[in-house]
Amino acid sequence: MEICLTSEGSDLGSMIDPRFGRCKYFIFIANDGNSFEAIENPNLNASGGAGIQSAQFIVGKGVKTLLTGQVGPNAHQVLSSAKVVIHTGVSGSVKEAFNDYKNNKYNPVDAATVGSKLGSQMRQL
Amino acid sequence: MIISVASGKGGTGKTTVAVNLALSLKNVQLLDCDVEEPNAHLFLKTEFDARIRAKISIPEFDPEKCDYCGKCASVCMYNALAVISPSNGEKGNVLFFSHLCHGCAACMVLCPHGAVREAKKEIGTVEIDHHDEKQFIQGKLDIREIMSPHLIRQVKEFINPTRTVIIDAPPGTTCPVIAAVNDTDFCVLVTEPTPFGLNDLVLAVDLLRKLNVPFGVVINRCDIGDDKVERYCEDGDIPVLLKIPFDREIAVLYSHGVPLIEKKPEYRPEFLNMFDKIREIVDLKSKRRDA
């Protein structure tokens, strides 16, 4: 599964979770869009370093492309070290986001889009 | 005897109590362990004659020995490590996020290939004023560093057990507070008679009971708010050691960095009285322990 999206639920109709490190689910989709797998984020309640561990987690799954809302500096460092292409500002349902990506709606980013700790602050709100 | 001065809520008067208690006593050592913002020095004429850099252990990786097995990252409780395995001709990589590292050394001990060595990282400074019979020591955490408990423990290594030791602790009830009050003979909890003061006092009392440190309460600005703090102390058999009224003059002295007892010497016997009460409680406890 080469493409990973951060999701609020476990199916393709779920909305994109804008947080990376502390998203509720990772949805992994094959490049041809024919199969997918949803995994609950094991780092959702990490006290710190959620972005780092989430990045390592999806890299270990063989992901080459990430579609999410925002990426912090630590996660960005791990992802770029593993040459994962990162697309941020992604929204809508997982299915829509995947189709938008296939239609080249999103451009990859080469830097973190938010400061550190934003995901954990959003969780408290 | 080692006395820590803590509070759940910030801004209740910890430093005022710690500084004035220390100034009331002889042969004393005052340790400012509020290392993120030490401020006791503002009330003392200090001249530091020694500065020691405080360090923590961090891992250093040997790329020759590392096979990117990921053991170090999996044992790191603090998520400070990420290991990227080599794939498709790309080299592997170990990423270390030093600001998340607590220096626990699990990665060094458990690496199956001996690829992780110990290195040192500076996190702050211990500053010492040896001069007179009132010795003053403070910890100052470097900007961007967050591992204050390590620095607090390194400040406490300078405790001289032949003196009365007063420790000014950080506010709150988290790890830095535990590092400051742990293994002290008594803890003075400074609070104020407001809902916030009471809420945080209850949390601090829970903490000290868990740590098994005896404690008493100072009620600062005792004539504002309500009587709920006093009722809580009565109900829980918690000694109230001292009450300080709300007094504009005290606030003005504080804002000028003048210790209370210097300009209002009538408070010195109050602090000495508090010290006697503390000594009584500590003596009673050690007698019970010996019996």
Side-chain angles (χ1 to χ4, degrees), chain B residues 40-109:
Chain B
H41 67 95
L42 297 173
F43 301 90
L44 307 162
K45 290 163 195 76
T46 45
E47 264 177 66
F48 294 114
D49 52 327
R51 286 192 166 83
I52 298 137
R53 292 292 286 159
K55 298 177 183 122
I56 62 167
S57 297
I58 56 165
E60 201 170 69
F61 298 88
D62 183 345
E64 300 291 309
K65 291 183 182 165
C66 178
D67 77 347
Y68 307 99
C69 70
K71 180 80 178 175
C72 54
S74 73
V75 299
C76 180
M77 289 282 294
Y78 308 101
N79 295 336
L81 288 167
V83 178
I84 308 297
S85 318
S87 70
N88 301 334
E90 294 283 349
K91 280 200 307 184
N93 200 356
V94 178
L95 292 107
F96 173 55
F97 295 87
S98 66
H99 59 285
L100 293 174
C101 176
H102 286 227
C104 76
C107 54
M108 303 172 203
V109 175

Side-chain angles (χ1 to χ4, degrees), chain B residues 1-2 26-29 135 158-165:
Chain B
M1 185 162 60
I2 306 170
K26 291 196 172 83
N27 191 27
V28 71
Q29 208 182 21
Q135 194 181 72
F158 292 91
I159 283 177
N160 177 351
T162 66
R163 292 172 180 252
T164 301
V165 181

Side-chain angles (χ1 to χ4, degrees), chain A residues 90-122:
Chain A
V90 175
S91 60
S93 71
V94 171
K95 199 177 172 146
E96 285 161 5
F98 180 78
N99 289 334
D100 286 347
Y101 162 70
K102 282 292 177 190
N103 294 325
N104 296 318
K105 191 181 153 194
Y106 298 115
N107 294 317
V109 293
D110 52 12
T113 56
V114 287
S116 55
K117 292 283 166 204
L118 189 76
S120 55
Q121 285 156 20
M122 283 170 72

Side-chain angles (χ1 to χ4, degrees), chain A residues 6-75:
Chain A
T6 54
S7 167
E8 290 183 351
S10 58
D11 57 65
L12 297 179
S14 311
M15 299 305 282
I16 291 288
D17 193 328
R19 301 164 299 181
F20 170 67
R22 292 180 194 275
C23 67
K24 290 208 180 77
Y25 287 88
F26 292 110
I27 294 196
F28 301 93
I29 305 185
N31 211 11
D32 56 15
N34 285 337
S35 61
F36 81 97
E37 180 189 13
I39 299 180
E40 214 172 325
N41 182 357
N43 308 300
L44 185 53
N45 294 314
S47 61
I52 295 166
Q53 291 313 305
S54 292
Q56 185 177 247
F57 179 68
I58 70 163
V59 167
K61 287 269 170 191
V63 166
K64 300 275 182 282
T65 302
L66 169 67
L67 305 177
T68 186
Q70 309 275 17
V71 167
N74 293 342

